Coordinates of all heavy atoms in Angstrom, one line a residue:
M1 N 122.5 47.8 82.7 CA 123.3 48.9 83.0 C 123.1 50.0 82.0 O 123.1 51.2 82.4 CB 124.9 48.4 83.0 CG 125.9 49.4 82.9 SD 126.2 49.9 84.7 CE 127.5 50.9 84.4
G2 N 123.0 49.7 80.7 CA 122.7 50.7 79.7 C 121.4 51.5 80.0 O 121.3 52.6 79.8
C3 N 120.5 50.8 80.5 CA 119.2 51.4 80.8 C 119.3 52.4 81.9 O 118.7 53.3 81.8 CB 118.2 50.3 81.0 SG 116.5 50.9 81.3
C4 N 120.1 52.0 82.9 CA 120.2 52.9 84.0 C 120.9 54.3 83.5 O 120.6 55.4 84.0 CB 120.9 52.3 85.2 SG 120.2 50.8 85.9
I5 N 122.0 54.1 82.6 CA 122.6 55.3 82.3 C 121.6 56.1 81.4 O 121.7 57.3 81.5 CB 123.8 54.8 81.5 CG1 124.8 54.3 82.3 CG2 124.4 56.1 80.7 CD1 126.0 53.6 81.6
F6 N 120.9 55.5 80.6 CA 119.8 56.2 79.8 C 118.8 57.0 80.6 O 118.5 58.1 80.3 CB 119.1 55.3 78.8 CG 118.1 55.9 78.0 CD1 118.4 56.8 76.9 CD2 116.8 55.8 78.3 CE1 117.5 57.5 76.2 CE2 115.8 56.5 77.6 CZ 116.1 57.3 76.5
A7 N 118.4 56.4 81.7 CA 117.3 56.9 82.6 C 118.1 58.2 83.2 O 117.4 59.1 83.4 CB 117.0 55.9 83.6
A8 N 119.3 58.0 83.6 CA 119.9 59.2 84.2 C 120.0 60.3 83.3 O 119.9 61.4 83.5 CB 121.2 58.7 84.7
M9 N 120.4 60.0 82.1 CA 120.5 61.1 81.0 C 119.1 61.7 80.7 O 119.0 62.9 80.4 CB 121.1 60.6 79.7 CG 122.6 60.2 79.9 SD 123.5 61.8 80.0 CE 124.3 61.4 81.5
A10 N 118.1 60.8 80.7 CA 116.6 61.4 80.5 C 116.3 62.4 81.6 O 115.6 63.3 81.3 CB 115.7 60.3 80.3
A11 N 116.7 62.1 82.9 CA 116.5 63.0 83.9 C 117.2 64.3 83.8 O 116.6 65.3 84.2 CB 116.8 62.3 85.3
I12 N 118.4 64.3 83.2 CA 119.1 65.5 83.0 C 118.3 66.4 82.0 O 118.3 67.6 82.0 CB 120.5 65.2 82.6 CG1 121.3 64.6 83.8 CG2 121.2 66.6 82.1 CD1 122.7 64.1 83.4
G13 N 117.9 65.8 80.9 CA 117.2 66.5 79.8 C 117.0 65.7 78.7 O 117.8 64.9 78.2
P14 N 115.7 65.8 78.1 CA 115.5 65.0 76.9 C 116.3 65.2 75.7 O 116.7 64.3 74.9 CB 114.0 65.3 76.7 CG 113.9 66.8 77.2 CD 114.8 66.8 78.4
R15 N 116.8 66.5 75.6 CA 117.6 66.7 74.4 C 118.9 66.1 74.5 O 119.5 65.4 73.5 CB 117.8 68.2 74.1 CG 116.5 68.9 73.7 CD 116.7 70.3 73.4 NE 115.4 70.9 72.9 CZ 114.4 71.4 73.6 NH1 114.5 71.4 74.9 NH2 113.4 71.9 73.0
V16 N 119.5 66.1 75.7 CA 120.8 65.4 75.8 C 120.7 63.9 75.6 O 121.4 63.2 75.0 CB 121.4 65.7 77.4 CG1 122.6 64.9 77.6 CG2 121.6 67.2 77.5
A17 N 119.6 63.4 76.3 CA 119.3 61.9 76.1 C 119.2 61.5 74.6 O 119.6 60.5 74.2 CB 118.1 61.6 76.8
L18 N 118.4 62.3 73.9 CA 118.2 61.9 72.5 C 119.5 62.1 71.6 O 119.7 61.3 70.8 CB 117.1 62.9 71.9 CG 116.6 62.6 70.5 CD1 116.0 61.2 70.4 CD2 115.5 63.7 70.0
V19 N 120.2 63.2 71.9 CA 121.5 63.3 71.2 C 122.4 62.1 71.5 O 123.1 61.6 70.6 CB 122.1 64.6 71.6 CG1 123.6 64.7 71.0 CG2 121.4 65.7 70.8
L20 N 122.5 61.7 72.8 CA 123.4 60.6 73.1 C 122.9 59.2 72.5 O 123.6 58.5 72.1 CB 123.5 60.5 74.6 CG 124.3 61.7 75.3 CD1 124.3 61.5 76.8 CD2 125.7 61.6 74.8
T21 N 121.6 59.2 72.5 CA 120.9 58.0 71.9 C 121.2 57.9 70.3 O 121.5 56.9 69.8 CB 119.4 58.0 72.1 OG1 119.1 58.0 73.5 CG2 118.7 56.8 71.5
W22 N 121.2 59.1 69.7 CA 121.4 59.3 68.3 C 122.9 58.9 68.1 O 123.2 58.2 67.0 CB 121.0 60.7 67.8 CG 120.7 60.8 66.4 CD1 121.1 60.0 65.3 CD2 120.1 61.9 65.9 NE1 120.6 60.5 64.2 CE2 120.0 61.7 64.5 CE3 119.5 63.1 66.3 CZ2 119.4 62.5 63.4 CZ3 118.9 63.9 65.5 CH2 118.9 63.7 64.0
L23 N 123.8 59.4 68.8 CA 125.2 59.2 68.5 C 125.7 57.7 68.9 O 126.5 57.3 68.1 CB 126.0 60.2 69.4 CG 126.0 61.7 69.0 CD1 126.7 62.6 70.0 CD2 126.5 61.9 67.6
F24 N 125.2 57.1 69.9 CA 125.7 55.9 70.4 C 125.0 54.6 70.1 O 125.5 53.6 70.3 CB 126.1 55.9 71.9 CG 127.2 57.0 72.1 CD1 126.8 58.2 73.0 CD2 128.4 56.9 71.7 CE1 127.7 59.1 73.3 CE2 129.4 57.8 72.1 CZ 129.1 58.9 72.7
T25 N 123.6 54.8 69.5 CA 122.9 53.7 69.2 C 122.3 53.9 67.8 O 122.5 54.9 67.2 CB 121.8 53.4 70.2 OG1 120.8 54.5 70.0 CG2 122.2 53.4 71.6
H26 N 121.7 52.8 67.2 CA 121.1 52.9 65.9 C 119.5 53.1 66.1 O 118.8 52.8 65.1 CB 121.3 51.7 65.1 CG 122.9 51.6 64.8 ND1 123.5 52.4 63.9 CD2 123.9 50.7 65.2 CE1 124.8 52.1 63.8 NE2 125.0 51.1 64.7
L27 N 119.1 53.4 67.3 CA 117.6 53.5 67.6 C 117.0 54.6 66.8 O 115.8 54.5 66.3 CB 117.4 53.7 69.1 CG 117.8 52.5 69.9 CD1 117.5 52.8 71.4 CD2 116.9 51.2 69.5
V28 N 117.6 55.7 66.6 CA 116.9 56.9 65.9 C 117.0 56.6 64.4 O 115.9 56.8 63.7 CB 117.7 58.1 66.1 CG1 117.2 59.4 65.3 CG2 117.7 58.5 67.7
E29 N 118.0 55.9 63.9 CA 118.0 55.6 62.4 C 116.8 54.5 62.2 O 116.4 54.4 61.1 CB 119.4 55.1 62.0 CG 120.3 56.3 61.9 CD 121.2 56.5 63.2 OE1 121.0 55.7 64.1 OE2 121.8 57.5 63.3
R30 N 116.7 53.6 63.2 CA 115.7 52.6 63.0 C 114.3 53.1 63.0 O 113.5 52.7 62.2 CB 116.0 51.6 64.1 CG 115.1 50.4 64.0 CD 115.4 49.4 65.1 NE 114.8 50.0 66.4 CZ 114.8 49.4 67.6 NH1 115.5 48.3 67.7 NH2 114.3 50.0 68.6
A31 N 114.0 54.1 63.8 CA 112.8 54.7 63.9 C 112.4 55.7 62.8 O 111.2 55.8 62.5 CB 112.6 55.4 65.3
F32 N 113.4 56.4 62.3 CA 113.1 57.4 61.3 C 113.9 57.2 60.0 O 115.0 56.7 60.1 CB 113.4 58.8 61.9 CG 112.7 59.2 62.9 CD1 113.1 59.2 64.2 CD2 111.4 59.8 62.8 CE1 112.4 59.6 65.4 CE2 110.6 60.2 63.9 CZ 111.1 60.1 65.1
T33 N 113.4 57.6 58.9 CA 114.2 57.4 57.7 C 114.5 58.9 57.4 O 113.5 59.7 57.1 CB 113.3 56.8 56.5 OG1 112.1 57.6 56.3 CG2 113.1 55.5 56.8
G34 N 115.8 59.2 57.3 CA 116.2 60.6 57.2 C 116.7 61.2 58.4 O 116.3 60.8 59.6
T35 N 117.1 62.4 58.3 CA 117.4 63.2 59.5 C 116.6 64.4 59.7 O 116.7 65.1 60.9 CB 118.9 63.8 59.4 OG1 119.0 64.5 58.1 CG2 119.8 62.6 59.2
L36 N 115.8 64.9 58.8 CA 115.0 66.1 59.1 C 113.9 66.0 60.3 O 113.9 66.7 61.1 CB 114.3 66.6 57.8 CG 113.4 67.8 57.9 CD1 114.4 68.9 58.1 CD2 112.6 68.0 56.6
L37 N 113.1 64.9 60.2 CA 112.1 64.7 61.2 C 112.7 64.6 62.6 O 112.3 65.1 63.6 CB 111.2 63.5 60.8 CG 109.9 63.5 61.5 CD1 109.0 64.7 61.3 CD2 109.2 62.2 61.0
P38 N 113.8 63.6 62.8 CA 114.3 63.6 64.1 C 114.9 64.9 64.6 O 115.0 65.3 65.8 CB 115.3 62.5 64.1 CG 115.4 62.1 62.7 CD 114.3 62.7 62.0
L39 N 115.5 65.7 63.7 CA 116.1 66.9 64.1 C 115.1 67.9 64.5 O 115.2 68.7 65.4 CB 117.0 67.5 62.9 CG 117.8 68.7 63.1 CD1 118.8 68.5 64.2 CD2 118.4 69.2 61.8
L40 N 113.8 67.9 63.8 CA 112.8 68.9 64.2 C 112.2 68.4 65.5 O 112.0 69.2 66.4 CB 111.7 68.8 63.1 CG 112.0 69.6 61.8 CD1 110.9 69.4 60.9 CD2 112.1 71.2 62.2
G41 N 112.2 67.1 65.8 CA 111.8 66.6 67.0 C 112.7 66.9 68.1 O 112.3 67.2 69.3
L42 N 114.0 67.0 67.8 CA 115.0 67.3 68.8 C 114.8 68.8 69.3 O 114.9 69.2 70.5 CB 116.3 67.1 68.2 CG 117.5 67.6 69.2 CD1 117.7 66.6 70.3 CD2 118.8 67.4 68.4
I43 N 114.4 69.7 68.3 CA 114.2 71.1 68.6 C 112.8 71.3 69.2 O 112.8 72.1 70.2 CB 114.4 71.7 67.3 CG1 115.9 71.7 66.8 CG2 114.1 73.4 67.5 CD1 116.1 72.2 65.4
L44 N 111.9 70.9 68.6 CA 110.4 71.2 69.1 C 109.8 70.3 70.0 O 109.1 70.9 71.0 CB 109.6 71.3 67.8 CG 110.0 72.2 66.6 CD1 109.2 72.1 65.5 CD2 110.1 73.6 67.2
L45 N 110.0 69.0 69.9 CA 109.3 68.1 70.8 C 110.3 67.0 71.3 O 110.1 65.8 70.9 CB 108.1 67.4 70.0 CG 106.9 68.3 69.7 CD1 105.9 67.6 68.7 CD2 106.2 69.0 70.8
P46 N 111.3 67.2 72.1 CA 112.2 66.3 72.4 C 111.6 65.0 73.3 O 112.1 63.9 73.0 CB 113.2 67.1 73.3 CG 112.4 68.2 73.8 CD 111.4 68.6 72.8
W47 N 110.8 65.3 74.2 CA 110.2 64.2 74.9 C 109.3 63.3 74.0 O 109.4 62.0 74.1 CB 109.2 64.6 76.2 CG 110.0 65.1 77.2 CD1 110.0 66.5 77.7 CD2 110.8 64.4 78.2 NE1 110.9 66.5 78.8 CE2 111.3 65.3 79.1 CE3 111.2 63.1 78.3 CZ2 112.2 64.9 80.3 CZ3 112.1 62.7 79.2 CH2 112.5 63.6 80.3
T48 N 108.5 63.9 73.1 CA 107.9 63.0 72.1 C 108.7 62.2 71.2 O 108.5 61.0 71.1 CB 106.8 64.0 71.5 OG1 106.2 64.6 72.2 CG2 105.9 63.1 70.5
T49 N 109.7 62.9 70.7 CA 110.6 62.1 69.9 C 111.4 61.1 70.5 O 111.7 60.0 70.0 CB 111.7 63.1 69.1 OG1 111.0 64.3 68.6 CG2 112.5 62.5 68.1
L50 N 111.9 61.3 71.8 CA 112.5 60.3 72.6 C 111.6 59.1 72.8 O 112.1 57.9 72.7 CB 113.1 60.8 73.8 CG 114.0 60.1 74.7 CD1 115.2 59.6 74.1 CD2 114.3 60.9 76.0
G51 N 110.4 59.3 73.2 CA 109.4 58.3 73.5 C 109.2 57.4 72.3 O 109.1 56.3 72.3
Y52 N 109.0 58.2 71.1 CA 108.8 57.4 69.8 C 110.1 56.5 69.4 O 109.9 55.4 69.1 CB 108.6 58.4 68.7 CG 108.2 57.8 67.3 CD1 106.8 57.2 67.1 CD2 109.2 57.4 66.4 CE1 106.7 56.6 66.0 CE2 108.8 56.8 65.2 CZ 107.6 56.4 65.0 OH 107.2 55.8 63.8
V53 N 111.2 57.0 69.6 CA 112.4 56.2 69.4 C 112.5 55.1 70.2 O 112.8 53.9 69.8 CB 113.7 57.1 69.5 CG1 115.0 56.3 69.6 CG2 113.8 58.2 68.4
L54 N 112.1 55.2 71.5 CA 112.2 54.1 72.4 C 111.1 53.0 72.2 O 111.2 51.8 72.4 CB 112.1 54.5 73.9 CG 113.3 55.3 74.3 CD1 113.2 55.8 75.7 CD2 114.7 54.5 74.1
A55 N 109.9 53.5 71.8 CA 108.7 52.6 71.6 C 108.7 52.0 70.3 O 107.9 51.0 70.0 CB 107.5 53.5 71.8
Y56 N 109.6 52.4 69.3 CA 109.4 51.9 67.9 C 110.1 50.5 67.8 O 111.2 50.2 68.3 CB 110.3 52.7 67.0 CG 110.2 52.4 65.6 CD1 109.1 52.8 64.7 CD2 111.2 51.6 65.0 CE1 109.0 52.4 63.5 CE2 111.1 51.2 63.6 CZ 110.0 51.7 62.9 OH 109.9 51.2 61.6
A57 N 109.3 49.6 67.2 CA 109.9 48.2 66.9 C 110.0 48.0 65.4 O 109.2 48.5 64.6 CB 108.8 47.3 67.5
P58 N 111.2 47.5 65.0 CA 111.5 47.5 63.5 C 110.3 47.0 62.6 O 110.1 47.6 61.6 CB 112.7 46.7 63.5 CG 113.3 46.7 64.8 CD 112.1 46.9 65.7
V59 N 109.7 45.8 63.0 CA 108.8 45.2 62.1 C 107.4 45.9 62.2 O 106.7 46.1 61.2 CB 108.7 43.6 62.3 CG1 107.7 43.0 61.4 CG2 110.1 43.0 62.1
V60 N 106.9 46.1 63.4 CA 105.5 46.5 63.5 C 105.5 47.9 63.8 O 104.2 48.5 63.8 CB 104.9 45.7 64.7 CG1 104.8 44.2 64.4 CG2 105.6 45.9 66.0
G61 N 106.4 48.7 64.0 CA 106.4 50.2 64.4 C 105.9 50.4 65.9 O 106.4 49.6 66.7
V62 N 105.0 51.4 66.1 CA 104.7 51.6 67.5 C 103.3 51.1 67.6 O 102.5 51.3 66.9 CB 104.8 53.2 67.7 CG1 104.2 53.5 69.2 CG2 106.2 53.7 67.5
R63 N 103.1 50.3 68.7 CA 101.8 49.6 68.9 C 101.7 49.6 70.4 O 102.5 49.6 71.2 CB 101.8 48.2 68.5 CG 101.8 48.0 67.0 CD 101.6 46.5 66.7 NE 100.8 46.5 65.4 CZ 100.5 45.3 65.0 NH1 100.9 44.2 65.6 NH2 99.8 45.2 63.9
G64 N 100.3 49.6 70.8 CA 99.9 49.3 72.1 C 100.5 50.4 73.2 O 100.3 51.5 73.0
I65 N 101.2 49.7 74.1 CA 101.7 50.5 75.3 C 102.7 51.6 74.7 O 103.0 52.6 75.3 CB 102.4 49.6 76.3 CG1 102.5 50.3 77.6 CG2 103.6 49.0 75.8 CD1 101.4 50.5 78.5
G66 N 103.3 51.3 73.5 CA 104.3 52.3 72.9 C 103.6 53.7 72.6 O 104.2 54.7 72.9
W67 N 102.3 53.6 72.2 CA 101.6 54.8 72.0 C 101.4 55.6 73.2 O 101.4 56.8 73.2 CB 100.3 54.6 71.2 CG 100.6 54.4 69.7 CD1 100.2 53.3 69.1 CD2 101.2 55.3 68.8 NE1 100.7 53.3 67.8 CE2 101.2 54.5 67.6 CE3 101.6 56.4 68.9 CZ2 101.8 55.2 66.5 CZ3 102.2 57.1 67.7 CH2 102.1 56.4 66.5
L68 N 101.3 54.9 74.4 CA 101.1 55.6 75.7 C 102.5 56.1 76.0 O 102.5 57.3 76.5 CB 100.7 54.5 76.8 CG 100.6 55.1 78.1 CD1 99.4 56.1 78.2 CD2 100.4 54.0 79.1
V69 N 103.6 55.7 75.7 CA 104.9 56.3 75.9 C 105.0 57.6 75.1 O 105.4 58.6 75.6 CB 106.1 55.3 75.6 CG1 107.3 56.0 75.7 CG2 105.9 54.1 76.5
V70 N 104.5 57.6 73.9 CA 104.7 58.7 73.0 C 103.7 59.8 73.4 O 104.0 61.0 73.5 CB 104.3 58.3 71.6 CG1 104.3 59.5 70.6 CG2 105.4 57.3 70.9
L71 N 102.4 59.4 74.0 CA 101.5 60.4 74.5 C 102.0 61.0 75.7 O 101.9 62.2 76.0 CB 100.2 59.7 74.8 CG 99.1 60.5 75.4 CD1 98.7 61.5 74.3 CD2 97.8 59.7 75.7
I72 N 102.6 60.3 76.6 CA 103.3 60.9 77.8 C 104.4 61.9 77.4 O 104.5 62.9 78.0 CB 103.7 59.8 78.8 CG1 102.5 59.0 79.3 CG2 104.6 60.4 79.9 CD1 102.9 57.7 80.2
G73 N 105.1 61.5 76.4 CA 106.2 62.4 75.9 C 105.5 63.8 75.5 O 106.0 64.8 75.8
L74 N 104.5 63.6 74.7 CA 103.8 64.7 74.1 C 103.2 65.7 75.2 O 103.3 66.9 75.2 CB 102.7 64.4 73.1 CG 101.9 65.5 72.6 CD1 102.7 66.3 71.7 CD2 100.7 64.8 71.8
L75 N 102.6 65.0 76.3 CA 102.1 65.7 77.4 C 103.3 66.5 78.2 O 103.1 67.6 78.7 CB 101.3 64.8 78.3 CG 100.1 64.3 77.8 CD1 99.5 63.3 78.8 CD2 99.0 65.4 77.4
L76 N 104.3 65.9 78.3 CA 105.5 66.5 79.0 C 106.0 67.7 78.2 O 106.3 68.7 78.6 CB 106.7 65.4 79.2 CG 106.6 64.5 80.2 CD1 107.5 63.3 80.2 CD2 106.5 65.2 81.5
D77 N 106.0 67.4 76.8 CA 106.4 68.7 75.9 C 105.5 69.8 76.1 O 105.8 70.9 76.2 CB 106.5 68.2 74.4 CG 107.9 67.5 74.2 OD1 108.9 67.6 74.9 OD2 107.7 66.5 73.3
L78 N 104.1 69.5 76.0 CA 103.2 70.5 76.1 C 103.2 71.2 77.4 O 102.9 72.4 77.5 CB 101.9 69.9 75.7 CG 101.7 69.5 74.3 CD1 100.3 68.9 74.1 CD2 101.8 70.6 73.3
S79 N 103.3 70.4 78.4 CA 103.4 71.0 79.8 C 104.6 71.9 80.0 O 104.5 72.9 80.7 CB 103.3 70.0 80.9 OG 104.5 69.2 80.9
S80 N 105.8 71.5 79.4 CA 106.9 72.4 79.5 C 106.7 73.8 78.7 O 107.2 74.8 79.2 CB 108.2 71.6 79.1 OG 108.1 71.4 77.6
Y81 N 106.0 73.7 77.6 CA 105.8 75.0 76.8 C 104.7 75.9 77.7 O 105.0 77.0 77.7 CB 105.2 74.6 75.5 CG 106.3 74.2 74.5 CD1 106.2 73.0 73.7 CD2 107.5 74.9 74.4 CE1 107.1 72.6 72.9 CE2 108.4 74.4 73.6 CZ 108.2 73.4 72.8 OH 109.2 73.0 71.9
G82 N 103.8 75.2 78.2 CA 102.6 75.9 78.9 C 103.2 76.4 80.3 O 103.0 77.5 80.7
G83 N 104.1 75.6 80.9 CA 104.7 76.1 82.2 C 105.6 77.3 82.0 O 105.6 78.2 82.8
G84 N 106.4 77.3 80.9 CA 107.2 78.4 80.5 C 106.4 79.7 80.3 O 106.7 80.8 80.7
A85 N 105.2 79.6 79.6 CA 104.4 80.7 79.3 C 103.7 81.2 80.5 O 103.6 82.5 80.8 CB 103.3 80.3 78.2
R86 N 103.3 80.3 81.3 CA 102.7 80.7 82.6 C 103.6 81.5 83.6 O 103.3 82.5 84.3 CB 102.1 79.6 83.4 CG 101.3 79.9 84.6 CD 100.8 78.7 85.2 NE 100.1 78.9 86.4 CZ 98.8 79.0 86.6 NH1 98.0 78.6 85.6 NH2 98.4 79.3 87.7
S87 N 104.9 81.0 83.6 CA 105.9 81.6 84.5 C 106.3 83.1 84.1 O 106.9 84.0 84.7 CB 107.1 80.8 84.6 OG 107.8 80.7 83.5
R88 N 106.1 83.4 82.7 CA 106.4 84.7 82.2 C 105.6 85.7 82.5 O 105.7 86.9 82.4 CB 106.7 84.6 80.7 CG 107.8 83.9 80.3 CD 108.3 84.1 78.9 NE 107.3 83.4 78.0 CZ 107.5 82.1 77.7 NH1 108.7 81.5 78.0 NH2 106.8 81.5 76.9
R89 N 104.2 85.3 83.0 CA 103.2 86.2 83.3 C 103.5 87.0 84.5 O 104.0 86.7 85.6 CB 101.8 85.5 83.4 CG 101.3 85.2 82.0 CD 99.9 84.6 82.2 NE 99.6 84.1 80.9 CZ 98.4 83.5 80.8 NH1 97.5 83.3 81.8 NH2 98.1 82.9 79.6

């Protein structure tokens, strides 16, 4: 049930999903030490930050398929920046 709600929020927007994840779970605190890096990720690279938060495991960090999730998030972020620049032409 919680996963379906999270997926619906992610479809609305990565920033909303990341803020709700940050407010209602401990996943962001588990993945990052401090608040500066997740805050910068929220502003600049929300899909990448969200992917990292979801792929992070407490003992081993991000491994294997988790890096694929982070890479897909980075590609989504870069495509959103590129698509916005292209539409302004």
Side-chain angles (χ1 to χ4, degrees):
M1 173 81 177
C3 182
C4 295
I5 292 171
F6 177 77
M9 287 295 120
I12 291 172
R15 287 181 177 92
V16 172
L18 187 58
V19 166
L20 290 176
T21 302
W22 203 342
L23 290 175
F24 296 114
T25 67
H26 295 289
L27 295 175
V28 176
E29 288 89 8
R30 186 179 72 178
F32 296 103
T33 56
T35 57
L36 182 62
L37 198 57
L39 188 60
L40 284 173
L42 178 68
I43 295 167
L44 299 175
L45 298 170
W47 283 113
T48 307
T49 307
L50 187 60
Y52 184 82
V53 166
L54 294 177
Y56 184 82
V59 175
V60 294
V62 178
R63 287 185 145 181
I65 196 82
W67 283 117
L68 181 64
V69 172
V70 174
L71 179 65
I72 290 170
L74 180 63
L75 292 175
L76 286 170
D77 284 330
L78 292 177
S79 69
S80 68
Y81 286 130
R86 184 179 174 107
S87 68
R88 286 190 289 270
R89 288 186 189 179

